[in-house]
């Protein structure tokens, strides 16, 4: 099965096609998605999360909800970089 | 124009059935759902039915996953499924309250959320929710039903703003009494008094509702969102 980081990066690349201000993914797992240093506004970010949720569901056959209460209240946001998001998704997939 | 993909909840009978038959006869692709199977669908080979409760999150998300894979898009969602209970609030069990809110309000929310996830990809979508004149008329004996629908009005207005950037409009239709099973239990004299409070004193018809929904979902209505249209002049 495809690695979660890879899925996220693919979705970011896809989404980049719609954006003027593109997310530079050359840093791989360190790529900033949201928060300081990120270029996505909150609506773009919501749409990207939805795409990632769907891509993960297609690959792993399991539906995960990325924006549950736990995620929203964590001190270190799991949404900050490709790496943190990927770790977070892996945890959800194991649950 | 390629055929529209239209998802309608509560298609087994009543208004939902009439809506499904209407859009099927126009050549649209219609997907429906309700807790039990409809007995009319064999006349329409293209119709697809999901047997589920609209407040069952797991089943609902599974259904949307299947729709996304099979069609790759969703043009229209009509949140018609709904239940009512006519009773004085002093005689309304808490379980009934929960059931009404689950189906009407939470079900509507769940479908809006999952539909918008698919619709945003194409930057196009039309969502129509079901309100009721019981809310503005403040009908005694329908406190919980009216409250669950008032919440739908509020959802419609706010989601219209949240989804505007995605090219999705969200509106609601508020029917007057229509003679379906839903209002079967209402005593006749109460019903007569109710019709008197409308500007136009007659029962609603399926076509009245269909007409409003046709308007909300047409391409040209892309500047119409967050609106609740009450029938009968209420
Ligand atoms: N008739 C009126 O006078 C009137 C007036 C104003 C507003 N409305 C609104 O119009 C809508 C349709 O009403 P109607 O008169 O057509 O009612 P109806 O004849 O009682 O039909 C209700 C439909 O919803 C389905 N349904 C109910 N609960 C469900 C659930 N939890 N999950 C999935 N499907 C469910 C039913 O099928 P199953 O039983 O198989 O699930 C049925 O197909 C409702 O939202 C209602 O509030 C009606």
């Amino acid at each position: 099965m495809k690695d979660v980081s890879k899925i996220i990066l693919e979705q970011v690349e896809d989404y980049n096609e719609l954006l003027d201000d593109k997310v530079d993914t050359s840093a791989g797992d360190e790529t900033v998605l949201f928060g300081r240093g990120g270029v996505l506004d909150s609506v773009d970010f919501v749409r990207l999360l939805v795409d990632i949720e769907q891509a993960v569901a297609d690959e792993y056959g399991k539906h995960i909800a990325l924006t549950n209460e736990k995620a929203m209240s964590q001190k270190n946001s799991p949404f900050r970089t490709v790496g943190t998001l990927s770790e977070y998704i892996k945890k959800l997939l194991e649950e | 124009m390629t055929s529209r993909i239209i998802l309608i909840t509560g298609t087994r009978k009543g208004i939902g059935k009439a809506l499904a038959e209407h859009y099927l006869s126009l050549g649209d692709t219609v997907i429906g759902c309700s807790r039990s199977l409809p007995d009319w669908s064999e006349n329409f080979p293209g119709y697809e039915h999901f047997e589920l409760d609209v407040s069952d999150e797991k089943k609902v998300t599974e259904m949307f996953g299947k729709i996304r894979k099979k069609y790759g898009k969703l043009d229209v969602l009509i949140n018609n499924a709904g239940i009512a209970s006519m009773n004085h609030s002093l005689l309304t069990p808490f379980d009934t309250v929960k059931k009404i809110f689950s189906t009407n309000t939470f079900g509507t929310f769940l479908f809006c959320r999952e539909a918008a996830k698919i619709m945003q990809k194409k930057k196009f979508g039309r969502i129509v929710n079901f309100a009721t004149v019981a809310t503005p008329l403040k009908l005694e004996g329908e406190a919980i039903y009216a409250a669950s629908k008032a919440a739908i009005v509020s959802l419609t207005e706010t989601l219209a703003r949240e989804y505007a950037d995605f090219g999705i409009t969200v509106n609601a239709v508020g029917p007057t009494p229509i003679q379906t099973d839903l209002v079967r239990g209402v005593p006749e004299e109460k019903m007569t008094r109710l019709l008197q409070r409308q500007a136009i004193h007659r029962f609603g018809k399926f076509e009245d509702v269909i007409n409003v929904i046709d308007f909300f979902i047409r391409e040209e209505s892309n500047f119409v969102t967050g609106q609740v249209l009450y029938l009968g002049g209420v």
Side-chain angles (χ1 to χ4, degrees), chain B residues 3-138:
Chain B
S3 122
R4 295 182 291 190
I5 312 290
I6 302 185
L7 171 62
I8 306 172
T9 65
T11 44
R12 181 171 66 81
K13 60 177 182 161
I15 301 171
K17 172 184 174 212
L19 285 166
E21 290 178 337
H22 170 69
Y23 291 110
L24 282 163
S25 69
L26 291 183
D28 294 307
T29 300
V30 177
I31 305 154
C33 63
S34 54
R35 291 163 302 176
S36 28
L37 286 171
D39 61 7
W40 52 266
S41 58
E42 61 241 28
N43 307 332
F44 297 96
Y47 173 80
E48 184 172 1
H49 193 89
F50 289 86
E51 209 175 329
L52 54 75
D53 188 313
V54 290
S55 63
D56 182 338
E57 183 180 16
K58 190 162 176 292
K59 288 238 175 83
V60 171
T61 49
E62 270 170 26
M63 177 192 73
F64 275 97
K66 285 184 190 152
I67 293 174
R68 186 166 55 80
K69 284 205 190 117
K70 182 159 172 193
Y71 302 101
K73 68 162 188 168
L74 178 64
D75 298 299
V76 179
L77 164 68
I78 304 175
N79 274 314
N80 158 82
I83 53 172
S85 157
M86 321 282 169
N87 229 335
H88 196 284
S89 69
L90 292 181
L91 301 176
T92 303
F94 193 45
D95 270 343
T96 308
V97 177
K98 287 194 236 175
K99 242 200 258 154
I100 292 178
F101 269 86
S102 282
T103 301
N104 298 1
T105 314
F106 304 158
T108 296
F109 171 74
L110 201 50
F111 273 70
C112 287
R113 187 186 76 190
E114 294 306 312
K117 288 181 183 176
I118 302 182
M119 290 170 171
Q120 54 94 19
K121 283 215 186 236
K122 301 272 185 225
K123 282 227 153 200
F124 177 87
R126 298 274 181 270
I127 297 176
V128 183
N129 294 328
F130 270 68
T132 170
V133 298
T135 305
L137 291 179
K138 304 169 178 65

Side-chain angles (χ1 to χ4, degrees), chain B residues 72-221:
Chain B
K73 68 162 188 168
L74 178 64
D75 298 299
V76 179
L77 164 68
I78 304 175
N79 274 314
N80 158 82
I83 53 172
S85 157
M86 321 282 169
N87 229 335
H88 196 284
S89 69
L90 292 181
L91 301 176
T92 303
F94 193 45
D95 270 343
T96 308
V97 177
K98 287 194 236 175
K99 242 200 258 154
I100 292 178
F101 269 86
S102 282
T103 301
N104 298 1
T105 314
F106 304 158
T108 296
F109 171 74
L110 201 50
F111 273 70
C112 287
R113 187 186 76 190
E114 294 306 312
K117 288 181 183 176
I118 302 182
M119 290 170 171
Q120 54 94 19
K121 283 215 186 236
K122 301 272 185 225
K123 282 227 153 200
F124 177 87
R126 298 274 181 270
I127 297 176
V128 183
N129 294 328
F130 270 68
T132 170
V133 298
T135 305
L137 291 179
K138 304 169 178 65
L139 297 183
E140 300 104 318
E142 298 190 22
I144 298 307
Y145 176 63
S148 75
K149 294 289 188 174
I152 291 178
V153 170
S154 171
L155 269 179
T156 302
E157 291 168 347
T158 308
L159 296 186
R161 287 168 179 262
E162 288 193 2
Y163 298 167
D165 284 333
F166 307 150
I168 302 169
T169 67
V170 189
N171 293 288
V173 57
T176 62
I178 300 179
Q179 285 163 307
T180 64
D181 291 346
L182 194 90
V183 296
R184 191 138 297 167
V186 183
E188 197 180 317
E189 58 99 289
K190 201 176 163 218
M191 194 54 95
T192 317
R193 257 192 294 141
L194 209 170
L195 296 184
Q196 282 313 311
R197 294 182 63 190
Q198 299 170 192
I200 305 169
H201 314 296
R202 68 157 167 85
F203 274 106
K205 295 182 293 205
F206 293 148
E207 299 88 89
D208 299 323
V209 176
I210 289 171
N211 179 44
V212 173
I213 297 179
D214 275 343
F215 165 69
F216 281 146
I217 70 176
R218 21 193 295 210
E219 295 251 8
E220 295 82 351
S221 296

